[in-house]
Amino acid sequence: MINTRSNTHRAIVVLLLTFALSSSGTPAQGSSASGEQVNARVKALLSRMSLQEKIGQLSQVGALDLKPDQRKELGDLLPEDSVSIEDHVRRGEAGSILWTTDPVFISTLQHVAMEESRMKIPLLFGFDVIHGFRTIFPVPLAMAASWDPDLVENAQAVAAQEASAVGINWTFGPMVDIARDARWGRIVEGAGEDPFLGAAMARAQVRGFQGQQLGTPGRVVGSVKHFAGYGGAEGGRDYDGAYIPEEHLRNVYLPPFKAAIDAGVGTVMSAYLDLNDVPASGNRFLLRDVLRRDLGFKGFVVSDAMAVRDLQTHGFARDPQDAALRGLTAGVNMDMASLTYLRNLESLVQSGKLSMTQIDDAVRPILEVKIRMGLFEHPYSDSAAAESILTDPEHRKLARVAAQRTMVLLRNENSLLPLKKTVASVAVIGPLADSEKEIQGSWGVEKAAQAVSVLEGVRAKLPHVRVESVRGADLQRKYPSLVDKVFGVKPTVPLAEDQLKNELDKAVEAARRADTVVLILGELSNMSGEAASRASLDLPGNQQQLLEAVVATGKPVVLVLLNGRPLNISWAAGHVPAILEAWYPGTEGGNAIADILFGDANPEGKLPVSWPRTTGQVPTYYAHNLTHQPEDDKNFTSRYLDVPTSPLYPFGYGLCYTQFAFSKLQLSQTTLAPGGSLQVSIDVENTGRSSGSEVVQLYIHQRAGSASRPVRELKGFQRTLLAPSGKKTVRFTVGKDELSFWSPEAKAWVEESEEYDVWVGGDSTASLHASFRVAAN
Ligand code: NOJ
C-alpha cells in the first residue's frame, strides 16, 4: 500500500521549492490564492515547461481497461495507444486521466505525476459522476422534478464526497442541455425543457459538486455540458446536428450554462453536435464569442470524448493535424481521450501554424483550475477514510428522501393512492419489478451500492402481506447500446415467443389472485442516456399488452413508471386509476416507491417536461409562441386534426395526497419603470386532509414587442409546505432579470416597455391572472 501521508508531505515540500522563487513570495494555497498569486504561479510554471509538457496538460488520457474482444468490437472508437498510462504521466504527457475509479490506480498515477514527472503537476481524474457515485440518486430529470434546488445541491455534495473519497476530482456534470424532444435519450441527464428551471438546477448542482469555491475539501470540480445546443438534435437522434437560430440559442439553450458559469463552474465540455453546420468542438463562435466574451467563462474547456479527433469524422477537418489545429484555435483547451493534441500540436508549432502564445493561452486556465483546487498542496485522497465515506448510512437516507421527492403523481382517481397497509395481497408485476440494476438508471457505471428493487421495497413495507411477483413481459433494445459496449455490459437474452406468452398468462393469474396490483412498466436503464434515442415513445416490448391484460382483470391497478423520458401512456391515462412517475429513483428507489404507495411519504414532484400524448406531438413544450389562430379561439381547437395540441400532462404538473387552493393574486404596482421591480403575492392554502408541499409557480408573458414572445415562461417557483388548513402568502419579485430577453431585432438583451401578463398557480396552466406595464413614466 502506498503511504499517502508521507508522499503528500513530500509533494508539499517539492511544491514549496518549485514556487519559492515565484514573484509572489510564499506560494498561495489552493482556493485561498488571489488572482494575482494564481497568475504568478501559472507564469512560473509555464516559464519552466517544455512544449511537450504543455501539450501534455492539454491532453486527457483514457484509462478504460478494454479486453481484446471489446477492443475488436469497438474498432477505432477509442485510439490505439502503445504507451502505458503510467509512462504518459511520467513523461508529462497527461494533464488528466479519464474513466478510472480504482482508488489504488488513481493514487499510483498521482504519485507518478507528483514524484516522477519533471514538472510535478497534479493530475485531474475525470469521471461521469452524474447522479451519485456509490450511492445512486434519482436521475437528473427526476431531480429536476423535485423543483428543490437545496435537495439537488445536497445530493450532488454527497456524490462529490463519495467520488473524491477514491481520488476522483473532476466530474462531467451538470448536464444542462435543454431537451424538448423526448425521443432524445439524453433528456434523462438534464433538467428537461425549461431554461429557468434548468438554470436553477444547474446552479444547485455546481454548488453541490464544488462547494462554496474550488478547493473545498471533499468536493470536485464540475464541468457544465454539452456546450451547446446538443439537446436540439434533429429528430431526437443522438449526435445529430441542430439548426438553432441565435435568439433561440441565447433565450433557451444558454441560460442554464450561464447559471453554471455564474455559480463558478471550473470547466465546460464542448458538445459533439454540428451546430448550424459547425461542430461544437471546433466552433469559434460558441467557444470564444459566446462562452468567453459574452458569458465571461474563465475556466477551461474540455472536448467531449474523441470530439477533437472527430472534427475530421464530421467532414470538417481535413486530417488529424487539421482537427488539432481547429479544436485548439476554436477554444478547446483539453482534448478528451483522442490523443489528437498529443500527436499533432508539436508539429503545428514547429511548422509555425500555431504559436507558443496560443499554446500557453490554452494551458493557462488548466493550471489555474488545478491551483485553485489546491491540488498542488493536496493531490491525494485520504484512502483510510474512503470506505466509511462510501458506506455512510446518511447517504442512503438522503437518497431515499430524494427519490420520494422526485416522484410525480400523474393520476389518482378516487384517491386510490395511498394504498392501505392492511391490504390482504399485492401482485407486483412487470419486467422492471424486481430489478436492482434497472432502477438506478443510466450512468450507474461505478460499482454502485446494493439497490432496492420495487418488489423488495414493497415486501419490506408489508412484511405480513402476501406479495407475489411476475415479470409478465420482456424488454430489449433492438440495437445494442454503445455505452454498454464501452463499459463491457453484456446484452440480456430475449424471451422466446412461448416464454413471452407464458409470462403474460402468469401475470394475469397473479393479478386475479391479488387484491391490488402494482404494475411496474417503463424502459430498461440503457434505453435512455447516451446513444439511446427512440423513434417511438410507446411502452417498449410487449408492455402495452401486459398493461391492457392486467387492467382487464378488473383489479385496482397502480401503474408505476420507471423511465428516463415521457412515454406514450395515453391509454393508461384513460384506463388506469393511479399512475406514479418514479423515473429511475436510484439506490433507495424500491423503498421510496413503497413509501409513496403506502402513504409514508407524499408524492410532491412536478413535471420538468410537458408530457406528450403521442410521439407525433414532439417537440412538445409549453413556452411556444402564439400562432395566428391560438387554441383558445373558439373556432380553432387544435393545430392537429387528430389529437389536441395540448400535452397529456402539462409542464409543472403533479398531484399530491392533499389539495391546494390559490387566491388573492396581487401585484405591488401595475406600472413599472424600466429596470425597476415589483412584488407578486398569492395566498396558498392546503384544503385537503394531510400535510403536503406545493410548488407555487409564476409565469409571465410579454404581449407585444420587438419579437413574438412565448405564450408563457416560468420566472419563479417556491416549494411551500403546509399542514391541513394551513395558509401562506408566497411572494415573488419580478424585475429586469425576469423581463429581459435576447431580441433578434436589437441583437442584444432588452427589457421592453410593454404590457405583461402574470399567472401564478400549481402548474403551467395556472389560471389566476394579473397584468402590468413597463413604462418610462
Ligand atoms: C461522452 C458523453 O457525451 C459525455 O457526456 C461524457 O461526459 C463523456 N463521454 C465522458 O464519459
Side-chain angles (χ1 to χ4, degrees):
M1 196 69 196
I2 294 156
N3 182 337
T4 313
R5 199 168 293 249
S6 68
N7 282 319
T8 308
H9 180 73
R10 261 208 312 276
I12 292 171
V13 172
V14 167
L15 194 100
L16 288 175
L17 291 175
T18 307
F19 292 106
L21 297 175
S22 84
S23 57
S24 57
T26 319
Q29 301 284 306
S31 52
S32 62
S34 70
E36 245 171 61
Q37 288 169 319
V38 173
N39 289 346
R41 291 182 67 173
V42 170
K43 201 168 158 202
L45 279 170
L46 281 172
S47 71
R48 296 180 48 237
M49 288 166 79
S50 66
L51 173 60
Q52 291 79 356
E53 284 162 338
K54 290 174 185 173
I55 295 170
Q57 288 304 307
L58 303 176
S59 302
Q60 185 181 47
V61 175
L64 266 189
D65 191 12
L66 295 179
K67 314 249 164 351
D69 58 325
Q70 249 181 307
R71 173 150 298 277
K72 209 168 136 208
E73 208 188 336
L74 288 168
D76 62 358
L77 188 80
L78 302 167
E80 283 286 352
D81 193 7
S82 54
V83 179
S84 74
I85 295 171
E86 283 91 334
D87 279 344
H88 275 308
V89 175
R90 198 167 283 120
R91 298 180 198 167
E93 291 175 351
S96 170
I97 304 296
L98 176 67
W99 289 325
T100 181
T101 58
D102 175 356
V104 176
F105 191 42
I106 289 176
S107 169
T108 304
L109 292 177
Q110 195 68 299
H111 278 279
V112 173
M114 298 309 291
E115 292 155 24
E116 298 177 38
S117 76
R118 195 183 74 89
M119 284 304 298
K120 308 198 172 0
I121 298 175
L123 292 163
L124 282 166
F125 291 90
F127 192 72
D128 293 278
V129 183
I130 305 299
H131 54 108
F133 185 66
R134 180 69 65 85
T135 310
I136 303 297
F137 288 89
V139 289
L141 188 63
M143 291 304 279
S146 73
W147 293 57
D148 186 342
D150 291 343
L151 176 76
V152 170
E153 178 177 342
N154 292 338
Q156 295 301 35
V158 166
Q161 223 190 327
E162 292 188 356
S164 68
V166 303
I168 290 168
N169 47 27
W170 185 14
T171 181
F172 303 124
M175 190 282 213
V176 303
D177 296 313
I178 295 293
R180 295 176 161 188
D181 184 337
R183 293 172 298 180
W184 190 53
R186 305 199 78 168
I187 189 173
V188 68
E189 294 177 57
E193 74 180 53
D194 187 70
F196 188 87
L197 181 62
M201 294 298 141
R203 227 175 272 127
Q205 292 191 71
V206 172
R207 282 198 303 261
F209 286 137
Q210 298 190 166
Q212 285 300 313
Q213 56 185 359
L214 288 187
T216 304
R219 305 296 176 102
V220 298
V221 60
S223 190
V224 65
K225 69 186 186 184
H226 306 81
F227 199 73
Y230 187 33
E234 281 191 330
R237 291 177 295 270
D238 204 8
Y239 310 134
D240 245 4
Y243 291 96
I244 304 179
E246 193 172 354
E247 54 272 23
H248 215 53
L249 189 69
R250 295 197 187 262
N251 287 318
V252 178
Y253 287 89
L254 294 179
F257 284 98
K258 179 173 187 321
I261 291 164
D262 291 349
V265 73
T267 77
V268 168
M269 186 186 292
S270 63
Y272 281 135
L273 88 159
D274 257 4
L275 178 71
N276 303 331
D277 289 340
V278 181
S281 296
N283 195 317
R284 238 172 212 282
F285 165 72
L286 269 183
L287 300 177
R288 296 213 183 262
D289 300 356
V290 175
L291 184 64
R292 299 279 180 193
R293 185 194 64 200
D294 300 344
L295 301 182
F297 177 61
K298 300 276 189 291
F300 73 86
V301 176
V302 62
S303 73
D304 202 336
M306 312 311 144
V308 171
R309 179 196 67 180
D310 291 341
L311 292 176
Q312 184 186 357
T313 320
H314 274 257
F316 178 70
R318 237 170 275 127
D319 50 37
Q321 202 181 63
D322 193 29
L325 179 66
R326 294 172 83 166
L328 192 104
T329 50
V332 172
N333 301 78
M334 189 181 279
D335 163 17
M336 184 187 281
S338 84
L339 308 182
T340 308
Y341 280 2
L342 201 59
R343 290 172 182 167
N344 295 284
L345 287 183
E346 191 176 346
S347 57
L348 282 164
V349 174
Q350 278 158 359
S351 66
K353 288 193 178 137
L354 277 178
S355 66
M356 192 62 102
T357 309
Q358 284 172 296
I359 297 287
D360 286 355
D361 287 348
V363 178
R364 193 169 291 115
I366 296 175
L367 296 176
E368 272 172 22
V369 165
K370 291 183 176 184
I371 291 168
R372 288 192 186 283
M373 287 172 72
L375 273 187
F376 285 88
E377 293 78 21
H378 305 286
Y380 309 107
S381 64
D382 179 0
S383 56
E387 209 41 42
S388 66
I389 292 172
L390 293 170
T391 54
D392 186 341
E394 292 303 315
H395 296 181
R396 286 192 81 118
K397 278 190 202 154
L398 183 64
R400 186 162 176 168
V401 171
Q404 292 165 352
R405 297 214 186 136
T406 53
M407 293 185 201
V408 185
L409 183 61
L410 296 174
R411 188 170 150 91
N412 195 16
E413 291 303 286
N414 303 319
S415 301
L416 175 61
L417 289 177
L419 300 170
K420 297 204 170 40
K421 290 182 194 156
T422 50
V423 63
S425 61
V426 181
V428 182
I429 296 174
L432 301 168
D434 195 20
S435 176
E436 291 158 4
K437 173 176 180 282
E438 304 305 333
I439 202 162
Q440 299 178 48
S442 61
W443 281 129
V445 172
E446 154 65 6
K447 290 173 217 80
Q450 184 73 32
V452 181
S453 74
V454 186
L455 178 64
E456 288 162 348
V458 172
R459 285 207 164 123
K461 183 72 68 188
L462 307 175
H464 308 299
V465 173
R466 186 163 59 82
V467 180
E468 213 186 330
S469 183
V470 185
R471 284 174 56 85
D474 191 31
L475 282 176
Q476 300 287 335
R477 277 181 67 125
K478 183 163 180 184
Y479 301 104
S481 155
L482 174 79
V483 179
D484 283 353
K485 276 190 194 172
V486 170
F487 289 100
V489 181
K490 296 269 172 270
T492 53
V493 182
L495 293 187
E497 273 301 310
D498 56 333
Q499 289 172 311
L500 272 182
K501 180 166 182 324
N502 189 25
E503 275 297 319
L504 191 65
D505 293 347
K506 281 199 308 194
V508 171
E509 283 158 27
R512 287 209 180 102
R513 277 194 295 272
D515 278 1
T516 301
V517 180
V518 177
L519 193 55
I520 316 293
L521 302 181
E523 299 175 309
L524 294 171
S525 55
N526 68 5
M527 288 179 166
S528 52
E530 186 176 351
S533 291
R534 296 184 59 204
S536 163
L537 299 179
D538 292 350
L539 286 166
N542 60 335
Q543 294 185 104
Q544 183 68 29
Q545 202 186 354
L546 172 66
L547 169 69
E548 293 185 21
V550 167
V551 169
T553 62
K555 291 296 168 89
V557 177
V558 178
L559 171 60
V560 177
L561 294 168
L562 295 185
N563 52 334
R565 56 158 69 78
L567 294 171
N568 180 351
I569 53 162
S570 287
W571 187 89
H575 295 85
V576 182
I579 306 177
L580 179 69
E581 172 54 84
W583 315 103
Y584 295 114
T587 304
E588 283 289 328
N591 284 332
I593 289 172
D595 292 338
I596 302 268
L597 293 180
F598 294 94
D600 288 337
N602 251 318
E604 292 174 345
K606 296 274 188 168
L607 289 178
V609 285
S610 305
W611 194 290
R613 293 168 191 273
T614 173
T615 314
Q617 265 188 332
V618 300
T620 322
Y621 53 97
Y622 78 94
H624 56 78
N625 287 359
L626 287 161
T627 67
H628 87 112
Q629 270 188 320
E631 287 96 58
D632 57 8
D633 179 326
K634 66 180 174 354
N635 297 313
F636 187 75
T637 43
S638 176
R639 276 172 279 149
Y640 294 109
L641 66 84
D642 46 0
V643 287
T645 320
S646 63
L648 184 62
Y649 300 112
F651 174 82
Y653 167 84
L655 303 171
C656 188
Y657 289 157
T658 188
Q659 291 81 41
F660 298 94
F662 294 90
S663 61
K664 285 219 250 154
L665 173 60
Q666 286 175 345
L667 306 186
S668 59
Q669 60 206 77
T670 51
T671 309
L672 195 63
S677 62
L678 57 77
Q679 261 61 53
V680 179
S681 64
I682 191 158
D683 287 356
V684 199
E685 186 177 357
N686 181 344
T687 55
R689 269 180 266 142
S690 56
S691 59
S693 76
E694 171 66 309
V695 180
V696 184
Q697 302 163 39
L698 175 137
Y699 295 85
I700 63 157
H701 168 239
Q702 181 178 331
R703 288 192 191 164
S706 63
S708 299
R709 299 300 301 139
V711 59
R712 285 184 184 203
E713 287 181 289
L714 180 72
K715 291 295 175 182
F717 65 87
Q718 282 178 46
R719 186 173 273 289
T720 313
L721 178 65
L722 289 170
S725 305
K727 199 170 180 172
K728 196 176 163 191
T729 304
V730 174
R731 292 188 170 80
F732 297 94
T733 300
V734 174
K736 191 168 181 213
D737 285 351
E738 289 72 28
L739 301 177
S740 298
F741 72 101
W742 199 87
S743 160
E745 191 186 72
K747 298 251 176 276
W749 288 90
V750 295
E751 180 194 7
E752 297 186 328
S753 293
E754 295 290 348
E755 300 247 2
Y756 295 81
D757 296 298
V758 184
W759 294 268
V760 184
D763 65 44
S764 57
T765 65
S767 55
L768 282 186
H769 172 258
S771 62
F772 65 91
R773 168 191 289 274
V774 173
N777 293 320

